[in-house]
Amino acid sequence: MRSPRVPLVLAVGLAGTLAVALTAPAAATASAAAPGPKPVSNSLPKVPVMRGGGGAVSSVDAVASQVGIDVLKAGGNAADAAVATAAALGVTEPYSTGIGGGGFFVFYDAKTHQVKTIDGRETAPSTFTQRAFLEPNGTPMAFDKAVNSGLSVGVPGSPATWDLATRSFGTQPLGLLLRPAENIARRGFVVDQTFHDQTAANAARFAKFPATAKVFLPGGSAPAVGSVFRNPDMAAAYRELRTRGVASLYAGRLGRAVVDEAQNPHTAPGVSVPHGQITTADLRAYRALPKAPVHSRYRGLDVYGMPVPSSGGIAVAEILNLLEAIDQRTGIRLGDLSNADYLHRFSEASALAFADRNRYVGDVPNVPSSELVSQGFADERACLFSPGTALKRPVPFGSPDGSYSSCGPTATTSRLPNDGQSTSHLVVTDKWGNAVSYTLTIEQTGGSAITVPGWGFLLNNELTDFDFVPLSPDVPDPNLPGPGKRPRSSMSPTVVLDHGRLRLVAGSPGGATIITTVAQVLTEYVDRGLPLVDAIAAARLSSRNGVEQAEPALMSSPDANALTAKGHVLASTPEIGAATAIRVIGPDDFEAAAETVRRGGGSAMVVNPR
Ligand code: GLU
């Protein structure tokens, strides 16, 4: 249900913050000793699980979660709090999200019991052709070359998403909700190990772009842990959006600055990078799009996710449907298996779903979405499953043609798509029972590495989510570059209802591993009976029809040997995903949960802890 409009209460709540913001000096940089205002901090503790009422927020960052809590406390609803939290993450997690990126916003309206979504995906320019990522000789461009370039920059969708979300679902003006982000950018926040490490890991490519080095490598290197990081240029960008509206990006001076930099990135001496193609006309044409969610059923629950151009909703639904189909075929439920057998089923279901996703899902007409998420299709696909032996990768894709009686003719794609690594996910519930599950990104950690001069935010490299060349010469590829096209995503913001009532919201960053992470968290919680925070903390496996990644805790467990004995080929990877979730225990009784360790641990908060 939409909360009543209470601008006065919220205005008072955030005006105190703004007053501090307006008195802050405008030229500070990262330094523990730097004079200046006190950095912004959180008043609730940074913990991975918290229970209580009044609403809940979970994100990767305590300062950002606190912003959402403050908005809820001041009378805003879940959509308001989600937008304010997202904007704050743009400041404290600038390598994962921000003004220069895009994302997918899922809203549950407690009054109508409906789930609605916004597709805020970045979009290719009108001149972008199928050959955009080919060298003149027709070979695909090196991935890193494409990432660190203006060419990979899509029209940003996040500000348009925030604008549409607040107008469609919120109760507060966007200008008010952007104030905390502006304030954090101006006053600064204390650098933690994760921020330091992400900066250090990207220092070499950041140094290629002087505007990026100026903001994110103050003094030439990554800010020290414990120092204060301020970004007055980004504060100016939020102020611009706050006072002039998102039109400044889509039809104004902020947009011109984005286009100028993407078309002709300023580079360090001796560095040259491919130029971008986006124009002010592309920005003017951009729309965040309201879309109906993907819906499927799992264990009697209603699962809602993002439709195309994300593959997240479809692939998560197919994995879950396959797990139900395998229960049926074997007569043994997922919850009754050993952990190794559970992981075997999960891996096989994931590989099958990825085969179908890669073959059928992209920003093209006539994606067979409803067939892909149908139980009939999953039942047919499950005929390939064997309890004792892993399927040989790559597994073939299926035939979602509405006629499901046999295993059917199948074929494989020979290559795998590129995978990103970054992004951020946040979840919010409010005391009225509304909820948001929102994943937002600039693609790689650090995006294109190009900062818009004078405005302090990084531009995305989302267009590298397109397949540069078809995955197989003889199989249609729905994810090739195209004019005005949105690259396929894996983002999987998810809402789960139980008989029309909100039960759970969840999601994760992690490129293509997002899909497996969300499906694993759901099954660990729903089927394996783990408490939500343990379902999030559980060692992860990401099987994507080629590479099968496992976290070290899994690699060193007996489960890894059992999986290997069945023919799985596991590759150790330090960390998969960084999930956040909230479960509803009862009316106005929430448990917010986040990572205990990954990415330095997340931040779960409620308005009134109990
Ligand atoms: N670009 C990725 C996607 O849309 C997200 C980036 C990431 O999480 O690494 O699927």
Side-chain angles (χ1 to χ4, degrees):
M1 118 188 18
R2 300 267 296 269
S3 58
R5 289 202 166 252
V6 283
L8 188 63
V9 178
L10 186 55
V12 171
L14 298 179
T17 319
L18 180 66
V20 181
L22 293 177
T23 56
T29 52
S31 162
K38 205 165 157 273
V40 175
S41 184
N42 46 301
S43 40
L44 284 163
K46 185 187 178 207
V47 291
V49 60
M50 194 183 283
R51 180 177 173 184
V57 180
S58 185
S59 83
V60 71
D61 179 71
V63 170
S65 291
Q66 184 75 55
V67 165
I69 290 293
D70 290 346
V71 170
L72 292 173
K73 202 181 267 180
N77 76 359
D80 299 321
V83 167
T85 304
L89 284 171
V91 185
T92 60
E93 296 281 310
Y95 310 138
S96 298
T97 72
I99 296 168
F104 296 99
F105 191 103
V106 182
F107 180 71
Y108 170 69
D109 185 331
K111 193 170 181 187
T112 62
H113 301 284
Q114 282 188 329
V115 178
K116 297 174 177 171
T117 82
I118 297 175
D119 163 7
R121 186 66 160 169
E122 299 92 328
T123 298
S126 64
T127 51
F128 220 61
T129 70
Q130 196 167 315
R131 301 182 58 83
F133 288 120
L134 300 186
E135 297 288 3
N137 66 4
T139 58
M141 191 175 281
F143 188 66
D144 282 353
K145 178 177 172 184
V147 167
N148 297 290
S149 81
L151 193 58
S152 65
V153 180
V155 175
S158 289
T161 304
W162 302 340
D163 186 50
L164 184 60
T166 49
R167 284 188 290 109
S168 307
F169 314 131
T171 68
Q172 304 297 325
L174 179 60
L176 196 62
L177 300 170
L178 298 184
R179 280 179 175 177
E182 177 187 340
N183 184 37
I184 299 163
R186 198 181 309 278
R187 280 175 53 190
F189 58 91
V190 177
V191 170
D192 65 10
Q193 191 69 48
T194 304
F195 185 86
H196 170 83
D197 291 350
Q198 288 181 340
T199 314
N202 283 284
R205 67 191 196 104
F206 285 179
K208 292 180 180 169
F209 302 97
T212 304
K214 173 175 166 270
V215 174
F216 296 107
L217 300 173
S221 58
V225 175
S227 66
V228 177
F229 183 81
R230 302 190 179 99
N231 189 339
D233 288 354
M234 192 187 285
Y238 276 114
R239 183 174 174 76
E240 178 79 4
L241 291 173
R242 189 169 71 66
T243 56
R244 295 178 187 236
V246 297
S248 180
L249 177 62
Y250 296 103
R253 64 175 181 164
L254 200 48
R256 280 193 299 279
V258 166
V259 164
D260 287 349
E261 196 60 18
Q263 287 185 353
N264 292 297
H266 292 86
T267 49
V271 175
S272 78
V273 299
H275 291 218
Q277 297 179 11
I278 62 175
T279 64
T280 53
D282 293 318
L283 261 58
R284 270 199 307 279
Y286 186 84
R287 297 286 179 277
L289 302 170
K291 289 189 171 169
V294 168
H295 169 238
S296 63
R297 302 261 306 158
Y298 185 64
R299 312 291 190 209
L301 303 169
D302 290 282
V303 180
Y304 292 89
M306 249 352 267
V308 169
S310 186
S311 60
I314 292 172
V316 168
E318 190 182 339
I319 292 171
L320 298 178
N321 288 341
L322 275 158
L323 292 172
E324 283 197 325
I326 294 169
D327 278 10
Q328 283 286 326
R329 289 185 75 84
T330 58
I332 306 174
R333 288 174 66 93
L334 201 59
D336 296 332
L337 296 169
S338 69
N339 205 46
D341 282 334
Y342 154 67
L343 291 170
H344 170 60
R345 283 193 193 181
F346 176 62
S347 171
E348 300 296 90
S350 299
L352 289 162
F354 264 86
D356 299 322
R357 165 219 192 242
N358 293 347
R359 165 63 186 86
Y360 296 109
V361 184
D363 187 14
V364 291
N366 304 321
V367 173
S369 299
S370 35
E371 292 303 330
L372 288 168
V373 303
S374 70
Q375 192 60 48
F377 178 59
D379 291 348
E380 180 175 279
R381 293 289 276 148
C383 71
L384 294 175
F385 175 78
S386 156
T389 314
L391 291 162
K392 189 172 168 328
R393 273 53 165 174
V395 304
F397 52 82
S399 181
D401 55 7
S403 151
Y404 305 120
S405 50
S406 67
C407 263
T410 52
T412 58
T413 52
S414 43
R415 293 176 54 257
L416 289 172
N418 294 320
D419 289 338
Q421 286 157 16
S422 184
T423 301
S424 208
H425 183 78
L426 65 97
V427 281
V428 183
T429 55
D430 66 29
K431 62 186 174 190
W432 296 281
N434 304 300
V436 172
S437 188
Y438 182 22
T439 318
L440 58 167
T441 185
I442 58 172
E443 219 302 280
Q444 296 277 301
T445 305
S448 64
I450 298 172
T451 296
V452 184
W455 297 105
F457 63 89
L458 286 154
L459 290 171
N460 70 83
N461 67 297
E462 215 69 51
L463 301 187
T464 59
D465 272 0
F466 285 121
D467 297 336
F468 292 11
V469 291
L471 296 181
S472 282
D474 46 350
V475 178
D477 185 333
N479 191 36
L480 295 173
K485 197 170 168 181
R486 299 183 179 202
R488 179 179 60 212
S489 172
S490 300
M491 290 188 269
S492 310
T494 303
V495 170
V496 180
L497 305 186
D498 188 353
H499 294 91
R501 293 192 181 283
L502 184 67
R503 169 140 174 213
L504 185 76
V505 278
S508 178
T513 71
I514 291 171
I515 289 168
T516 54
T517 295
V518 170
Q520 188 171 354
V521 169
L522 291 177
T523 53
E524 300 271 16
Y525 172 67
V526 172
D527 297 281
R528 309 291 292 169
L530 293 185
L532 190 55
V533 71
D534 295 343
I536 290 173
R540 294 208 180 109
L541 179 71
S542 183
S543 154
R544 305 194 300 282
N545 199 24
V547 62
E548 190 165 351
Q549 293 173 315
E551 290 184 327
L554 178 50
M555 291 299 284
S556 61
S557 78
D559 294 338
N561 296 337
L563 288 167
T564 306
K566 288 182 195 286
H568 293 270
V569 181
L570 304 179
S572 184
T573 190
E575 216 170 81
I576 297 173
T580 55
I582 301 170
R583 76 183 176 103
V584 180
I585 300 168
D588 199 29
D589 185 1
F590 306 105
E591 182 183 72
E595 295 289 352
T596 48
V597 175
R598 297 182 187 96
R599 292 210 191 175
S603 168
M605 292 182 181
V606 296
V607 173
N608 303 311
R610 65 177 62 166

